[in-house]
Amino acid sequence: MLRCGPFHFDLSRPLVMGIVNVTPDSFSDGGLHLRADAALEHARQLIAEGADMLDIGGESTRPGAQPVSAREELWRIMPVIEGLRGASAPLSVDTGKPEVMRAALAAGASMVNDINALQQPEALEAVAAGDAAVCLMHMRGTPQTMQEQPRYRDVVREVFHFLRARMAAAEVAGIARERIVIDPGFGFGKTLEHNLALLRGLGAFRELDVPVLVGLSRKSMLGKITGQDVEHRLHASVAAALLAVQRGAKIVRVHDVRATVDALKVWRAVDPE
Ligand code: 8Y4
């Protein structure tokens, strides 16, 4: 069971989280209003395509991307969250900043997706204060430094221990286990070999007894495997999402919702619970 504010999921089937970027590089940059309108239209389209939840992000987390201020992040995402009030799918806010979490949750978001796993001061409290879910993700380093020669003795073990510790911190802060999702953080301070080891070893995270979310959509590891650049990674992304759910992932974070939903329908027809 996953509790996301007023939304409850029994997780008898995997969920598709659609990605809505509200960053200047993702939509033609015709000013704040046009950007919010484009993101809203995109969000509504993803819900129509079968997204179970949406992840709204105003800060680019690409390797090397520059951080943005809380004020800028709020300007970007708040019109989108407010515009989606009453939507049939829960909204997740992709942020590490407690100020942004509080504003988004007050405006009706039901989940916080934090690539920093609530390690910023006040982040645990910001989530604990309400009934939203949280995704705790593993990252080595920061988006600015994470591609600098990451080294692990045993990547599955190290990610597992980090996530177990962040789950414990979240529970101590008052976030019930049924509100917690974990994510090994594909691509965040990991080489291709680390990412493949995590995908192969994904089953190990089931021991933590909370849903596992996986984000592989269009990522550079798929570029390395296929030789395709970012706009031609749909097929690899669908294959990766399917492999992840076969290995126990309960939520897949994707750009291409319709294709992923169809692939999961085929999987379910063959492998019904
Ligand atoms: C093309 C498109 C190339 C996207 C790279 C990317 C995750 C995440 C991101 C994830 C969770 C990304 C916010 C990176 N990835 N949140 N966020 N899990 N929970 N890169 O794997 O999509 S952003």
Side-chain angles (χ1 to χ4, degrees), residues 44-146:
R44 293 195 180 104
Q45 184 191 326
L46 296 186
I47 293 174
E49 291 178 7
D52 297 291
M53 51 176 68
L54 298 178
D55 190 36
I56 317 238
E59 178 175 37
S60 177
T61 19
R62 287 177 190 230
Q66 288 309 302
V68 302
S69 67
R71 218 166 71 130
E72 175 65 26
E73 223 179 299
L74 285 167
W75 273 332
R76 292 178 183 178
I77 65 166
M78 288 306 284
V80 180
I81 292 172
E82 283 160 4
L84 289 168
R85 190 179 273 291
S88 56
L91 307 181
S92 157
V93 57
D94 159 19
T95 190
K97 297 188 184 74
E99 184 183 342
V100 176
M101 294 173 190
R102 284 190 287 264
L105 296 174
S110 303
M111 180 165 176
V112 170
N113 175 29
D114 183 4
I115 64 165
N116 283 305
L118 304 182
Q119 292 180 98
Q120 292 277 320
E122 294 179 58
L124 285 164
E125 293 83 352
V127 173
D131 60 359
V134 63
C135 179
L136 303 170
M137 196 195 81
H138 176 272
M139 170 167 54
R140 168 67 64 81
T142 67
Q144 287 70 48
T145 66
M146 67 189 182

Side-chain angles (χ1 to χ4, degrees), residues 219-231:
K219 282 190 177 171
S220 68
M221 70 174 278
L222 303 178
K224 287 180 184 131
I225 294 167
T226 61
Q228 301 287 1
D229 45 58
V230 65
E231 58 272 34

Side-chain angles (χ1 to χ4, degrees), residues 3-258:
R3 299 185 186 276
C4 270
F7 297 88
H8 297 176
F9 295 102
D10 68 8
L11 302 172
S12 59
R13 61 175 186 85
L15 305 176
V16 174
M17 169 187 265
I19 300 170
V20 180
N21 280 316
V22 204
T23 49
D25 46 285
S26 43
F27 290 96
S28 60
D29 194 20
L32 271 176
H33 273 294
L34 285 176
R35 194 196 294 158
D37 284 351
L40 269 171
E41 188 180 308
H42 185 222
R44 293 195 180 104
Q45 184 191 326
L46 296 186
I47 293 174
E49 291 178 7
D52 297 291
M53 51 176 68
L54 298 178
D55 190 36
I56 317 238
E59 178 175 37
S60 177
T61 19
R62 287 177 190 230
Q66 288 309 302
V68 302
S69 67
R71 218 166 71 130
E72 175 65 26
E73 223 179 299
L74 285 167
W75 273 332
R76 292 178 183 178
I77 65 166
M78 288 306 284
V80 180
I81 292 172
E82 283 160 4
L84 289 168
R85 190 179 273 291
S88 56
L91 307 181
S92 157
V93 57
D94 159 19
T95 190
K97 297 188 184 74
E99 184 183 342
V100 176
M101 294 173 190
R102 284 190 287 264
L105 296 174
S110 303
M111 180 165 176
V112 170
N113 175 29
D114 183 4
I115 64 165
N116 283 305
L118 304 182
Q119 292 180 98
Q120 292 277 320
E122 294 179 58
L124 285 164
E125 293 83 352
V127 173
D131 60 359
V134 63
C135 179
L136 303 170
M137 196 195 81
H138 176 272
M139 170 167 54
R140 168 67 64 81
T142 67
Q144 287 70 48
T145 66
M146 67 189 182
Q147 298 318 103
E148 297 165 7
Q149 299 279 331
R151 287 220 158 75
Y152 299 84
R153 268 185 352 109
D154 178 339
V155 67
V156 175
R157 250 182 81 86
E158 286 179 60
V159 170
F160 181 97
H161 285 118
F162 172 84
L163 292 174
R164 189 170 64 183
R166 295 312 300 158
M167 281 177 64
E171 289 190 86
V172 166
I175 303 170
R177 197 168 260 257
E178 291 196 325
R179 297 166 57 197
I180 300 174
V181 171
I182 54 172
D183 181 341
F186 287 97
F188 288 87
K190 286 119 186 157
T191 64
L192 174 60
E193 281 314 317
H194 297 140
N195 289 318
L196 290 172
L198 282 168
L199 190 50
R200 288 185 195 109
L202 203 64
F205 295 97
R206 266 184 276 200
E207 192 185 320
L208 293 173
D209 213 33
V210 295
V212 173
L213 184 153
V214 161
L216 288 159
S217 185
R218 300 186 188 172
K219 282 190 177 171
S220 68
M221 70 174 278
L222 303 178
K224 287 180 184 131
I225 294 167
T226 61
Q228 301 287 1
D229 45 58
V230 65
E231 58 272 34
H232 296 107
R233 295 179 189 161
L234 163 65
H235 315 287
S237 297
V238 172
L242 198 54
L243 288 165
V245 301
Q246 286 185 311
R247 283 159 178 73
K250 295 294 187 207
I251 310 177
V252 285
R253 181 181 178 274
V254 305
H255 299 86
D256 303 290
V257 169
R258 199 191 312 266

